[in-house]
Amino acid sequence: KQWYQRRVAITAGTNGTNKSDFDPQIRTHIDSKTGCEVPYIPQGRFIHIPPPYPSASWANDFGTPWWKDESYCIGHLSTKTRKIRIINTLTSQEHTLEVCSEETLEEILNRFYKYNKHAGSYTWKYNGKNLAMTKTLEQNGVKDEDEEFYELNFNEEDWLPAIHVYFNDDLTEA
């Protein structure tokens, strides 16, 4: 692999803040030797980053740099994640899921199929109230109290909100 491919491979799977800070602009700084503005890349150069000094061997005819190319976007950064417990009232099975604050209950349900192939045949409730599957947890009144627990030195794992799922017996097939 070339040097720039190694730099990308080293940081694969990370959130990329050291490369683009989600702007999607590469951070810059003033070079102490030249006094010119150059890319700030403490981990070293990677693909589509120009060399720090003029070079005839560097081709800049690649078009859009990869960090601005939407085809490489594989997801969106969540504002905040939180954990919830989903309790099956029929079997008493309990599963803890980490969910995004922007996720609707339909999206959470789609991930919950991993644990229960009949999850669509259940009514989802919180504190005895039916949940609207097209809304987020917050919109359904399931408050995110992580910050309060942190301030009170509570272990948030002991106080996860419990979503109860009740089987509807609608004879669907998995």
Side-chain angles (χ1 to χ4, degrees):
K1 290 184 181 180
Q2 293 189 20
W3 58 268
Y4 54 81
Q5 290 173 319
R6 281 195 301 275
R7 292 290 179 204
V8 172
I10 288 169
T11 57
T14 65
N15 66 12
T17 54
N18 64 331
K19 292 186 287 282
S20 64
D21 214 17
F22 300 105
D23 194 350
Q25 296 296 321
I26 300 298
R27 292 170 48 191
T28 60
H29 72 111
I30 304 300
D31 185 281
S32 59
K33 293 180 185 173
T34 65
C36 296
E37 186 178 31
V38 295
Y40 177 68
I41 42 177
Q43 305 256 329
R45 282 182 57 210
F46 51 89
I47 191 167
H48 296 163
I49 291 290
Y53 306 108
S55 171
S57 65
W58 187 68
N60 62 356
D61 58 353
F62 47 79
T64 304
W66 69 267
W67 61 88
K68 289 184 178 181
D69 189 340
E70 288 294 318
S71 67
Y72 291 113
C73 182
I74 58 169
H76 299 281
L77 187 63
S78 177
T79 304
K80 184 173 185 312
T81 61
R82 64 190 284 193
K83 290 184 179 178
I84 58 170
R85 291 182 301 144
I86 300 177
I87 301 169
N88 185 329
T89 58
L90 181 65
T91 62
S92 298
Q93 290 176 315
E94 184 176 313
H95 299 281
T96 300
L97 292 177
E98 185 171 12
V99 299
C100 298
S101 60
E102 302 86 3
E103 272 186 296
T104 64
L105 282 153
E106 284 175 340
E107 294 168 319
I108 295 169
L109 166 66
N110 286 333
R111 291 198 295 124
F112 189 65
Y113 279 123
K114 172 182 173 181
Y115 304 103
N116 184 335
K117 295 199 185 322
H118 291 280
S121 301
Y122 285 74
T123 299
W124 291 48
K125 294 186 177 191
Y126 176 72
N127 283 346
K129 295 180 185 173
N130 285 6
L131 298 174
M133 300 303 281
T134 57
K135 294 182 178 180
T136 64
L137 290 166
E138 199 74 30
Q139 291 168 335
N140 271 298
V142 184
K143 301 256 185 273
D144 186 356
E145 300 173 316
D146 290 356
E147 294 299 320
E148 290 177 47
F149 294 146
Y150 177 77
E151 288 174 18
L152 296 169
N153 288 325
F154 284 5
N155 181 358
E156 74 172 80
E157 297 286 327
D158 296 335
W159 301 94
L160 297 177
I163 308 293
H164 291 90
V165 293
Y166 297 84
F167 187 64
N168 293 329
D169 194 19
D170 64 0
L171 302 176
T172 60
E173 292 184 35

